[in-house]
Amino acid sequence: MSTVNVRVAAIEQVTPLVKHFTLVREDGQAFPPFSGGSHVVVAMDIGGRIHRNAYSLMGAPDDTQAYHISVRRQERSRGGSAYMHDNVAEGSVLQITMPVNLFQLIRMGRKHVLIAGGIGITPFMSQLHDLKRNGFEYELHYAFRSPEHGAFSAQLKSECGERAHFYIDSLGQQLDIPAVLSRQPLGTHVYVCGPAPMVNAVLEAARELGWPENHVHSEQFTAPPMGDAFKVQLAKSNMEVEVTADMTLLEALETAGVGPDSLCRGGACGRCELDVLELDGEIFHHDHYLSDAEKSSGKKILPCVSRARCTHMLLDI
Amino acid sequence: MERGYRIRSKPNYETLVWKEKASAHVVVAKGAGGMAVLQLFQQMHPVQPVTVFYVRGDSTDKDYSQTLTKLVGDELQVFDTQMEALYAFYRRLPDMKMGTRFYVSGTESFIWSLCKLAALFDIQESEIVKQLSNSLSRPVYCVHCKATTPNVTTNIVACSKCSRKLFVRDHFSRHLGAYMGLMIDAENPGEVPAIEEIYP
Ligand code: FES
């Protein structure tokens, strides 16, 4: 995967848990423009081990001087978000991949409804630029815990005016998802990014109301869960790799120099899919990509988020 | 056609069945297609709002408007021409909400005229339940002058706009909502094989 070195030009504490990082290229060149909803993967060298986390780009898609990401400190972090918060300072150098978009606006849509929960606002920050520039019809619904946790809410209020709706949990303000979806005109697309219960509530409400599936878009990057250590055997490279408790199978394969391709690193895109040739235990599937049948077959695994409990698992790589 | 050979572009049609998850239902039918609507209401009268647009059958087609009026009640609108019905349908689209389900029954020409209108509102044809009424007649797109001749029952037809003699192919374009028609006597003008009814 092609990467580029970036320097942290500025850091802003946006909320008690969220920091906004402004990145410029170390070689002084311009970044490529991207499309709203894109993300980059940031590689961090934590004690000699490479962690990679995906973050949505938030700035204007045509701003090629700087890229902007926001990182929420995760309570049960494997180190990535804590590292970004505690160890990265202005002037630090990081490596990022070129932008990839798995959460694109559907340009055919006649109206776009964006639903964000907490830090799930980040992919919409760049999509809103696209929506406004194209003069598209849209609504934003943004739910967060308490007033001080509403990252970018003041900016959104002034930029989106009446199209932005805020729901602050601590003030008892609830987002009524079925009500929002039931009043949308034909040709509307809904996009949701946020915690799993919110994403599921949107998918469920849309299904109940009879929305066609291809009008419903979600981004739910699972932070890879930790688990027990396990070992895997690799058929093609003929070696054994140990996956420690605090790293993902994908990271273990990358550390061993045999990492498969990856895009979202959150169990959403399926790019990292591997065939399981032999298995004497159980796979814990944490992705949103494989079908239930594929999951229970035990023949496939998405190493970016899934783990196993076994003494022998032979992967086709 | 060769046995076992299937043309992938040819659409498959189904039987109209209410979709369970829906906010509203819109049913559009023409002539003999009214039977599919009667069958729908045999299944049930859904709790969600229903609108039925029906084009009365003419002398060459069946007319179910009387039975439909009795069965459907004031959720039914009856029109004398396809044009009027499609126009009324189109004018209602801006007020319709997401979750509205669409059903259509009639000839292929009618079905695909409706699908093309719906596409303007980002409703994909795959989301529309389509039932073919009792005719195989085809809409035929003239690849030369780009006009579409509706309800063609023969293997060869004169284009309704440029009058070229078109051979009706099996190749169907979902985008145009029609079968492709190619000039048959382009090489030897006037040499037109026998015209037969094969899409009764
Ligand atoms: S990289 Fe996208 S599912 Fe693993």
Side-chain angles (χ1 to χ4, degrees):
Chain A
M1 207 185 302
S2 77
T3 56
V4 47
N5 283 345
V6 295
R7 196 165 42 76
V8 176
I11 300 179
E12 180 197 355
Q13 186 87 39
V14 186
T15 75
L17 290 176
V18 175
K19 277 185 175 177
H20 165 196
F21 297 81
T22 303
L23 312 174
V24 297
R25 278 178 71 143
E26 206 184 18
D27 59 12
Q29 298 206 13
F31 285 114
F34 59 95
S35 52
S38 296
H39 72 267
V40 295
V41 173
V42 178
M44 301 159 237
D45 185 338
I46 308 181
R49 212 150 72 193
I50 306 296
H51 269 255
R52 292 184 175 83
N53 283 2
Y55 296 110
S56 296
L57 289 177
M58 301 197 322
D62 54 3
D63 175 4
T64 57
Q65 291 313 305
Y67 277 176
H68 300 265
I69 60 172
S70 280
V71 180
R72 178 186 192 278
R73 181 194 282 277
Q74 302 296 338
E75 282 119 41
R76 288 177 57 242
S77 166
R78 292 173 317 113
S81 72
Y83 179 85
M84 289 295 289
H85 273 258
D86 301 337
N87 300 66
V88 174
E90 285 176 12
S92 296
V93 171
L94 297 164
Q95 255 191 354
I96 66 168
T97 59
M98 286 303 165
V100 169
N101 200 342
L102 302 174
F103 197 46
Q104 241 155 7
L105 290 170
I106 307 300
R107 310 191 69 83
M108 282 286 292
R110 295 172 54 83
K111 181 175 175 187
H112 307 270
V113 174
L114 317 180
I115 301 181
I119 193 68
I121 191 66
T122 54
F124 297 134
M125 299 298 286
S126 59
Q127 285 192 341
L128 284 164
H129 282 280
D130 277 354
L131 289 167
K132 284 189 212 134
R133 195 178 43 200
N134 291 299
F136 287 161
E137 181 67 22
Y138 73 91
E139 271 172 31
L140 170 70
H141 298 270
Y142 180 18
F144 43 89
R145 256 203 274 171
S146 56
E148 72 273 20
H149 285 294
F152 310 107
S153 53
Q155 178 189 342
L156 290 165
K157 200 171 283 175
S158 74
E159 285 175 7
C160 307
E162 300 199 324
R163 296 176 194 238
H165 307 264
F166 302 92
Y167 308 87
I168 306 171
D169 203 29
S170 67
L171 305 181
Q173 300 166 350
Q174 291 298 320
L175 162 60
D176 184 347
I177 293 169
V180 168
L181 294 189
S182 63
R183 59 169 186 256
Q184 299 306 330
L186 281 182
T188 303
H189 287 256
V190 63
Y191 307 80
V192 55
C193 184
M198 170 186 254
V199 172
N200 292 336
V202 169
L203 300 184
E204 177 64 20
R207 197 166 30 235
E208 283 301 316
L209 289 166
W211 283 50
E213 254 173 49
N214 55 11
H215 283 243
V216 184
H217 314 275
S218 64
E219 181 158 83
Q220 188 185 356
F221 288 165
T222 309
M226 291 171 274
D228 297 333
F230 60 103
K231 283 201 184 84
V232 295
Q233 290 75 34
L234 311 182
K236 290 201 183 113
S237 37
N238 194 20
M239 58 199 262
E240 184 172 81
V241 167
E242 157 133 47
V243 187
T244 55
D246 62 345
M247 77 193 322
T248 65
L249 172 54
L250 180 61
E251 285 165 344
L253 296 172
E254 285 168 343
T255 308
V258 293
D261 280 352
S262 66
L263 278 180
C264 69
R265 305 181 74 89
C269 71
R271 176 62 73 91
C272 63
E273 179 180 310
L274 293 177
D275 287 327
V276 178
L277 302 174
E278 292 167 16
L279 172 72
D280 71 350
E282 196 188 345
I283 299 179
F284 303 116
H285 293 284
H286 297 296
D287 63 273
H288 322 288
Y289 180 82
L290 295 176
S291 68
D292 289 346
E294 283 172 322
K295 285 181 182 173
S296 52
S297 77
K299 296 233 155 52
K300 290 184 186 304
I301 187 168
L302 298 185
C304 62
V305 288
S306 298
R307 312 182 68 87
R309 177 167 56 213
C310 58
T311 54
H312 175 73
M313 174 156 80
L314 185 64
L315 296 175
D316 192 17
I317 183 170
Chain B
M1 212 191 308
E2 211 178 302
R3 288 173 73 160
Y5 182 71
R6 180 158 172 238
I7 294 175
R8 298 265 305 273
S9 66
K10 266 179 81 170
N12 290 317
Y13 299 96
E14 343 165 39
T15 302
L16 300 193
V17 176
W18 297 115
K19 296 219 184 186
E20 201 189 315
K21 311 276 188 211
S23 307
H25 305 272
V26 172
V27 187
V28 192
K30 181 184 178 191
M35 177 53 88
V37 186
L38 293 173
Q39 281 161 351
L40 257 184
F41 281 87
Q42 291 292 311
Q43 293 161 27
M44 66 166 172
H45 200 136
V47 289
Q48 301 90 353
V50 183
T51 313
V52 181
F53 298 85
Y54 181 65
V55 189
R56 216 185 287 281
D58 56 20
S59 53
T60 63
D61 202 350
K62 285 230 164 57
D63 179 18
Y64 291 102
S65 53
Q66 292 199 354
T67 326
L68 279 168
T69 309
K70 277 186 220 126
L71 202 70
V72 182
D74 43 347
E75 289 169 316
L76 173 76
Q77 297 179 41
V78 179
F79 301 88
D80 287 329
T81 66
Q82 168 168 334
M83 252 296 237
E84 283 167 3
L86 291 181
Y87 184 59
F89 167 77
Y90 183 69
R91 272 206 335 225
R92 289 284 296 281
L93 285 172
D95 305 324
M96 292 183 198
K97 300 278 179 274
M98 283 301 288
T100 305
R101 300 296 203 167
F102 296 91
Y103 312 80
V104 57
S105 179
T107 60
E108 278 196 282
S109 296
F110 182 71
I111 291 173
W112 291 94
S113 305
L114 181 107
C115 290
K116 275 201 281 184
L117 282 182
L120 297 173
F121 278 76
D122 192 24
I123 304 156
Q124 274 150 51
E125 58 88 6
S126 56
E127 289 297 329
I128 301 175
V129 191
K130 315 175 206 65
Q131 179 168 349
L132 195 59
S133 60
N134 60 353
S135 166
L136 297 179
S137 66
R138 295 178 164 190
V140 176
Y141 178 83
C142 174
V143 302
H144 312 283
C145 81
K146 305 188 170 15
T148 298
T149 306
N151 302 321
V152 174
T153 58
T154 48
N155 58 338
I156 294 162
V157 68
C159 170
S160 59
K161 186 164 161 216
C162 70
S163 305
R164 284 185 179 90
K165 294 281 191 301
L166 304 175
F167 174 69
V168 180
R169 294 192 53 202
D170 274 325
H171 173 222
F172 185 85
S173 157
R174 274 158 208 266
H175 175 63
L176 300 165
Y179 292 86
M180 297 297 111
L182 261 80
M183 188 175 176
I184 196 156
D185 56 348
E187 314 232 302
N188 304 308
E191 247 180 66
V192 177
I195 297 180
E196 295 166 302
E197 175 174 278
I198 56 170
Y199 310 115

